[in-house]
Amino acid sequence: MTADTVEITLVTLEGVRLGEVIDEYTALLSSGDANDAALDRLTPSPYPDDEQASREFLEATGDDLLERRHSDADVVRRALAPFQTFRTGMSDDDTLRAHTVTIPRGEVDAWLRTLNAIRLVLATRLGIMDDDDHDPEDPRFGIYDWIGYRLELLIDAELGD
């Protein structure tokens, strides 16, 4: 790690799976499904009590916000490009092989925004509104927890801890 970069370690399986999650996330962003609660959560209104103001705000800013989210996800996707070669299959030795991903400091915020947005999508899909809605014993929450763990490690790496 240098002053200009942050390094994170992913095993091959994590890198491949994170790449797949990013692909699913960008597909969601591109879907334009106005009835998708997850997209609504990614484009929150600063006027929750004023439907008209909310609609006007979304019309004025929604596409730009989704485009920025897409651009952020592309930054993450590019950093994960070396894992693409493993998507067609991994040997047992490859699965848990550690890889260092070097992230320029100028791209860390894109990573943080993307991982956080993915957690928002997952929380919406899983019905998580607060900590009481989360069941760590339910395997459906595994990816939500894993993304949170990765987010925490990235924040720690950014802070130099």
Side-chain angles (χ1 to χ4, degrees), residues 80-138:
L80 297 174
F83 293 99
Q84 282 286 85
T85 59
F86 297 102
R87 285 182 96 167
T88 56
M90 288 175 263
S91 70
D92 288 342
D93 290 338
D94 288 334
T95 303
L96 298 178
R97 182 172 294 131
H99 303 266
T100 299
V101 178
T102 302
I103 306 167
R105 286 212 184 261
E107 295 180 358
V108 171
D109 284 347
W111 275 75
L112 294 172
R113 286 188 298 264
T114 298
L115 294 178
N116 189 58
I118 290 169
R119 284 193 90 219
L120 286 173
V121 168
L122 291 169
T124 302
R125 299 282 192 251
L126 293 169
I128 299 172
M129 298 306 285
D130 58 45
D131 288 342
D132 293 336
D133 297 329
H134 180 264
D135 180 0
E137 300 301 316
D138 185 332

Side-chain angles (χ1 to χ4, degrees), residues 53-65:
S54 290
R55 187 174 43 257
E56 290 171 2
F57 181 81
L58 183 58
E59 288 171 3
T61 64
D63 289 341
D64 291 339
L65 179 57

